Amino acid sequence: MTSVTSRSRKAGCLSSLDLDELLAGDLSGGEREALLRGHLETCPACSGRLAQFAAVEPPPASASLRSEARRPPRERVSSGTRRRVVAALGVFGCAAAAVLIVSFRAPITTERTKGSLALTIFIKGSAGSVESVQGEGTLHPGDEMRFSLTTAAVGHAVVVGLDAAPSVTVYAPTAPAAQAVPVESAGSHVLPGSIIADETGGAERVFAVLCPTPRDPQAVRAAALAALAHADGRPDAVTALGSGCLETSVLLHKVARPR
Amino acid sequence: MGESQNFDACYDRYSRSVYRRALKILGDTESARDVTQEVFLRVVRCGGQVPPEPTPTSWLYRVTTNLCLNRLRDQRRQKARLAEAFDPDLNVSANGDSRVIVTDMLSRIPEELQDIAIYFFLDELTYDEIAPLMGLSRRTISNRLASFREVVARMFPNERLAS
């Protein structure tokens, strides 16, 4: 019989994670660092491993990686033709607009809500049909989205999309550097602007955030980035942004359009 | 400090551990280089900073592990690699290259057990160290490792996993 792997680490010895954290300076002089360094002084095996780890020569950052790091954050998530903001209703056309108006007036009974905020996404497909999505739905590259909030509270709204790239894009307000969208009365409100879905496949979670005072959309985006990072880049695993405001979300599954 | 300088500092600080880890899991320098670039591309796209919880290095461990597993899953599709992995002439001693054996096994076991097997067998982390890293309870870690052992025992009846 063969032993597939033998655990050579002795009790009390440092793990590879311990050693990497020490080398990176993650522990910043705390009690744990003192404990680990105390062990290193008495353990030739661990100090030898630390020396081996320190001797590793990493590859330099590639030119494309450096180039990406130099780009302003807004360009990173919206470069090229990934997403285009389209003037409200102008592209939808009259027939679609009529469908939307009917939809907005219809009572909404199945929306996913948290507190007193609900998000509905209206999706216009390439054939011109419009469907409303609450909770979870399907999206195709090239589809056009508009966002409707139903709320019992007034406030200031921001909508962000978290995708599987992973990246986060501010969907509302649509203009760069604009303030959060004011919601001045209870009821349903269609937010201005629309978004064209890009080619990024997989799950995308769209969050609506409603705060009592204007919140910088970039702060909401930063919270979404942190939440996405915490979920290992999986939008479907993000359940909240921790903004301290009313939040709700819709999960979209982006798939290629059937031929 | 500008964003580019921030990125340079971040890369200088953490690329060594990311690359070393990818090399340990994947076993070839070219793939490890690619994974290192992918990991830091994620850092850039997540705002240019490594999330600090529980520590930046532990976040990078998770992301690196996941990207390496993705790569191994792609390799699984290559019949040539499978043939090599299960070469009956492969000589494995009790102190053999655990990386080769564990990663070969990873290509055959359920995905939900793969990352935990890496942390336990390759990194030699304890249950108590794996739990905060993966955000799971100690009991879940224990259960998944038991499942891993069962799968390995079924698929590789002549092999024995160290406990």
Side-chain angles (χ1 to χ4, degrees), chain A residues 1-10 13-18 20-21 23-27 32 49 52-66 68-73 76-77 164-168 221 225-226 228-233, chain B residues 3-4 7-8 11 13-17 19-21 24 33 36-37 40-42 44-48 51 53 55-59 61-63 66 92-95 97-98 101-102 105 119-121 123-126 129 133 152 157-163:
Chain A
M1 187 176 284
T2 302
S3 173
V4 171
T5 177
S6 56
R7 285 169 65 86
S8 57
R9 180 183 167 200
K10 294 192 175 79
C13 280
L14 306 193
S15 69
S16 53
L17 179 59
D18 292 331
D20 278 325
E21 285 173 338
L23 281 173
D26 279 359
L27 307 178
R32 186 164 157 245
R49 284 180 71 212
Q52 285 178 351
F53 281 26
V56 171
E57 276 295 325
S62 67
S64 60
L65 183 57
R66 287 188 181 282
E68 184 73 5
R70 279 196 298 270
R71 294 168 69 180
R76 281 181 210 146
V77 297
S167 66
V168 176
R221 179 175 172 268
L225 280 167
L228 188 57
H230 192 68
D232 287 344
Chain B
E3 290 223 16
S4 180
F7 171 77
D8 289 344
Y11 192 88
R13 187 172 178 182
Y14 293 110
S15 59
R16 177 189 291 114
S17 67
Y19 174 69
R20 186 194 60 75
R21 177 162 190 73
K24 183 177 180 182
R33 280 169 178 266
T36 303
Q37 304 301 312
F40 281 93
L41 191 57
R42 289 193 177 208
V44 168
R45 287 178 176 168
C46 288
E53 293 177 4
T55 63
T57 297
S58 61
W59 185 86
Y61 258 53
R62 286 204 309 274
V63 173
N66 291 341
V92 183
S93 69
N95 295 314
D97 182 350
S98 60
I101 306 309
V102 172
M105 282 187 169
Y119 295 133
F120 188 77
F121 292 105
D123 294 319
E124 299 191 18
L125 299 181
T126 64
E129 290 167 337
L133 186 63
V152 170
N158 294 324
E159 305 289 354
R160 178 171 60 84
L161 278 171
S163 55

Side-chain angles (χ1 to χ4, degrees), chain A residues 36-116:
Chain A
L36 298 181
R37 291 205 180 278
H39 176 83
L40 281 172
E41 287 175 10
T42 60
C43 180
C46 286
S47 54
R49 284 180 71 212
L50 184 71
Q52 285 178 351
F53 281 26
V56 171
E57 276 295 325
S62 67
S64 60
L65 183 57
R66 287 188 181 282
S67 168
E68 184 73 5
R70 279 196 298 270
R71 294 168 69 180
R74 180 166 283 274
E75 286 183 22
R76 281 181 210 146
V77 297
S78 58
S79 60
T81 58
R82 287 200 63 221
R83 293 191 169 94
R84 288 175 286 130
V85 177
V86 183
L89 292 179
V91 177
F92 263 65
C94 295
V99 173
L100 285 177
I101 290 165
V102 170
S103 299
F104 300 157
R105 287 178 179 168
I108 298 170
T109 56
T110 58
E111 286 183 319
R112 172 181 172 173
T113 62
K114 284 183 181 175
S116 56

Side-chain angles (χ1 to χ4, degrees), chain A residues 116-141:
Chain A
S116 56
L117 179 66
L119 170 65
T120 302
I121 303 179
F122 293 100
I123 299 176
K124 182 189 177 191
S126 60
S129 61
V130 177
E131 66 172 305
S132 66
V133 174
Q134 301 107 25
E136 191 167 349
T138 302
L139 183 70
H140 303 101

